[in-house]
Amino acid sequence: MIATSDDYAWFSYERFPELAEAYCFTYVRGLAPEQLVVRLGGQPEDFTPMTLEELIETRHRNSYDTAFLGATTIGDWVFIVEPNGGLGADEKIITSLSAGTRLVSHFRDVEGVEYFYWSEDGKIRFCFIADEGYAEEVPDEVMGTMQRIDADYRRLYPSDGPAFLLAEHLTGITLTPELLEGSTYLCGVIPEPR
């Protein structure tokens, strides 16, 4: 069965009011949550296991000057959730985290700015920005998925489903509400990026 954007309609303001408005989801292949924390300059011993609800509540209850995130393992990938965060939209961080591996991220802020990134071994392979379209030529690896999503790339909003489809295509992970809500996340604060 081939997924469509409609298969991700569950990620809505109604179901996830504190997450769908502003979030960043990042997938990094081949790392454990603790390894990811170290790569980002954090201390794993300062991180605490939390549910998605606790992660969101903690983020919104505190005013962090630095990045607050939760990371969990899904297969061979570490999956990062940032309520109202944006590490996965920072090209310097993306390229650094993808050294020797693959990174896929999608981001939306409260003003509706949306990005999708695919980075491989320290190089950005593909960037898709809502209202602007794709930043580079579409690589063959995602061309078919982009064509299935819509013929008019420049009018799509990634969080309405396309970002989830592209992430699924590039990671093999079908994100579901049960997976998102049922995972335990290693949560904490990352120091200000250098």
Side-chain angles (χ1 to χ4, degrees), residues 3-190:
T4 68
S5 291
D6 290 341
D7 293 326
Y8 289 99
W10 58 263
F11 189 68
S12 65
Y13 297 113
E14 292 77 27
R15 183 156 187 180
F16 296 100
E18 299 294 325
L19 187 60
E21 181 180 36
Y23 74 93
C24 189
F25 292 158
T26 305
Y27 308 75
V28 184
R29 185 173 53 200
L31 296 181
E34 295 81 6
Q35 293 171 306
L36 174 94
V37 168
V38 170
R39 274 197 182 194
L40 288 170
Q43 302 294 323
E45 60 272 13
D46 295 337
F47 278 58
T48 306
M50 294 184 187
T51 65
L52 179 67
E53 185 177 327
E54 292 167 332
L55 187 166
I56 294 168
E57 182 182 309
T58 301
R59 172 63 179 100
H60 289 292
R61 189 177 60 235
N62 298 287
S63 179
Y64 294 111
D65 291 334
T66 56
F68 179 80
L69 60 84
T72 192
T73 302
I74 301 176
D76 293 337
W77 298 76
V78 62
F79 174 62
I80 307 160
V81 174
E82 292 178 85
N84 199 26
L87 289 175
D90 182 311
E91 290 189 7
K92 184 176 178 184
I93 293 171
I94 290 168
T95 54
S96 174
L97 273 180
S98 72
T101 190
R102 174 178 283 188
L103 178 145
V104 173
S105 67
H106 49 104
F107 160 86
R108 175 186 171 85
D109 73 10
V110 293
E111 295 173 358
V113 175
E114 299 190 30
Y115 295 93
F116 177 91
Y117 283 99
W118 163 28
S119 183
E120 195 93 26
D121 198 18
K123 293 187 171 80
I124 293 175
R125 294 282 318 275
F126 181 66
C127 176
F128 175 34
I129 304 168
D131 289 333
E132 293 182 29
Y134 48 91
E136 300 291 331
E137 194 172 305
V138 178
D140 290 343
E141 296 92 334
V142 295
M143 180 60 79
T145 302
M146 288 299 291
Q147 289 172 338
R148 276 193 357 216
I149 289 168
D150 196 324
D152 184 2
Y153 304 140
R154 299 182 194 290
R155 298 208 178 143
L156 295 175
Y157 287 87
S159 66
D160 290 337
F164 291 91
L165 286 176
L166 285 166
E168 180 179 336
H169 175 75
L170 291 165
T171 65
I173 296 169
T174 303
L175 191 61
T176 64
E178 296 79 19
L179 187 57
L180 186 61
E181 293 172 314
S183 295
T184 300
Y185 299 88
L186 188 62
C187 300
V189 175
I190 296 295

